[in-house]
Amino acid sequence: MLSNGSSLTLTVVYKGWETRLKFSVVMPIYKDRDFLVYSLPTVFRLKPDEIVLLFDSTEEIEFTKRICRKFGFEDKTSFIDLTNISSRNWKCRVGFARRYGFQIATNDVILNTDADTLLDPLIRKYVQKIG
């Protein structure tokens, strides 16, 4: 829920029928522990319906779960361990992780971001203009 009580979904009308666009965030994480304490709260402030975090290292998963738990987003977050994935595309790690996250994300609108990026809360306003 946003501060005004509405949820972060978009309503778009196509030829007389209505569909609700939901908002997901996909974030690959690799040795970004120092940034996560700053970047994840900016993601949470956007109030996405789903967060997909993709890990190239198991070391950061528990640390990240604690941050998500602290902000009440553990239930809306998927923690994907990519260390056991075998693919010829794995050498392009960040690109592979993003594409994998896009396949996992279940919502209509996906925000792609990095673990070292602080997101502006106005992004939510721009997402509402989609459609």
Side-chain angles (χ1 to χ4, degrees):
M1 293 293 237
L2 301 176
S3 60
N4 66 0
S6 63
S7 63
L8 184 62
T9 57
L10 305 173
T11 302
V12 181
V13 178
Y14 294 106
K15 297 183 182 177
W17 59 274
E18 188 176 289
T19 183
R20 294 182 68 62
L21 297 176
K22 293 188 176 182
F23 180 59
S24 296
V25 174
V26 171
M27 178 189 287
I29 298 171
Y30 178 68
K31 296 185 180 179
D32 292 315
R33 182 181 210 144
D34 294 340
F35 299 110
L36 291 173
V37 295
Y38 302 108
S39 63
L40 280 176
T42 68
V43 170
F44 303 146
R45 278 192 287 267
L46 296 176
K47 306 288 185 189
D49 297 293
E50 172 188 46
I51 302 170
V52 179
L53 303 177
L54 302 117
F55 296 88
D56 190 6
S57 167
T58 57
E59 300 167 6
E60 287 144 339
I61 295 175
E62 283 305 315
F63 177 75
T64 306
K65 282 184 179 181
R66 285 195 304 269
I67 295 172
C68 292
R69 196 174 306 121
K70 177 181 177 182
F71 285 90
F73 269 84
E74 191 173 25
D75 293 341
K76 290 185 174 187
T77 306
S78 298
F79 302 90
I80 310 300
D81 182 359
L82 297 175
T83 58
N84 295 323
I85 301 280
S86 61
S87 170
R88 61 187 180 141
N89 296 324
W90 183 237
K91 63 183 175 184
C92 307
R93 290 180 178 196
V94 173
F96 176 85
R98 286 188 205 289
R99 288 188 303 276
Y100 198 82
F102 294 158
Q103 292 173 353
I104 292 170
T106 60
N107 292 314
D108 300 317
V109 177
I110 300 172
L111 172 64
N112 176 30
T113 189
D114 295 311
D116 62 353
T117 302
L118 301 178
L119 300 176
D120 188 324
L122 290 177
I123 290 173
R124 181 176 50 219
K125 183 177 179 181
Y126 297 120
V127 169
Q128 293 172 347
K129 294 183 179 190
I130 295 174

